[in-house]
Amino acid sequence: MGIFGNKHADRTTDATAAATVSPHLASVTGDYTIDPAHTTIGFVARHAMVTNVKGSFTELSGTLHLDGTDPAKSTASLDVTMDSIETGNADRDGHLKSSDFFKTDEFPTMTFRSTKAESLGGDDYRITGDLSILGVTKPLSIDLQFNGSAKDPFGNERVGFEGRTEILRSEWGLTWNAALETGGVLVSDKIKLNFDISAIKNA
């Protein structure tokens, strides 16, 4: 099961995917709660055309339903608190929370709700869903790799996924920018998203 997506020209057929579902995922079928303390949702934006600015959201919640024998039945739900954005610079964080960008007073939460899940073979999965930012909802597909499962020292059964994708922020109404004297703009439209997901199986 994947959670957020990359673009692929070739789609794995359902028959092929079913035949190559990872045996590792088959053993962890069940309902899970995302562990925010060990989950990172990060982003990378190009700044002034010459360097990258990285950030993440520190407050989030979500659930997974994993079906290892039939990945198409897997689902994901995620809620991110936009006011928890951190880039390592307080002034920049404040600007991102303002009306120029995320308008966190008016739109406090970013959400993702899955609509489709599929196996790409082995430990690779794709999930497609609706991503909502600033009241704008658009489809997004994310390819994730299943990193495995383990029982932690506290007796929790955990699973992990990692993945990445790219979006154009303007498609969700994030259009603020400033022109540079040398040409180009201050903030890239293309944003890279990175995901490291840890989830605990429900009792």
Side-chain angles (χ1 to χ4, degrees), residues 168-185:
L168 297 178
R169 62 186 178 91
S170 58
E171 294 185 352
W172 278 268
L174 293 161
T175 57
W176 183 92
N177 227 320
L180 302 175
E181 291 184 4
T182 53
V185 292

Side-chain angles (χ1 to χ4, degrees), residues 104-184:
T104 58
D105 288 342
E106 185 178 357
F107 301 99
T109 309
M110 172 175 65
T111 65
F112 177 83
R113 300 290 183 267
S114 67
T115 57
K116 180 181 179 181
E118 57 192 308
S119 170
L120 302 178
D123 288 322
D124 296 323
Y125 299 86
R126 174 182 297 137
I127 200 162
T128 299
D130 295 324
L131 178 66
S132 297
I133 307 173
L134 294 179
V136 177
T137 301
K138 289 185 174 293
L140 179 67
S141 292
I142 299 159
D143 291 353
L144 291 186
Q145 181 178 50
F146 176 55
N147 286 339
S149 62
K151 180 171 288 189
D152 67 24
F154 306 101
N156 299 309
E157 294 185 38
R158 290 180 176 270
V159 293
F161 295 88
E162 65 177 301
R164 58 181 52 85
T165 189
E166 295 179 348
I167 65 170
L168 297 178
R169 62 186 178 91
S170 58
E171 294 185 352
W172 278 268
L174 293 161
T175 57
W176 183 92
N177 227 320
L180 302 175
E181 291 184 4
T182 53

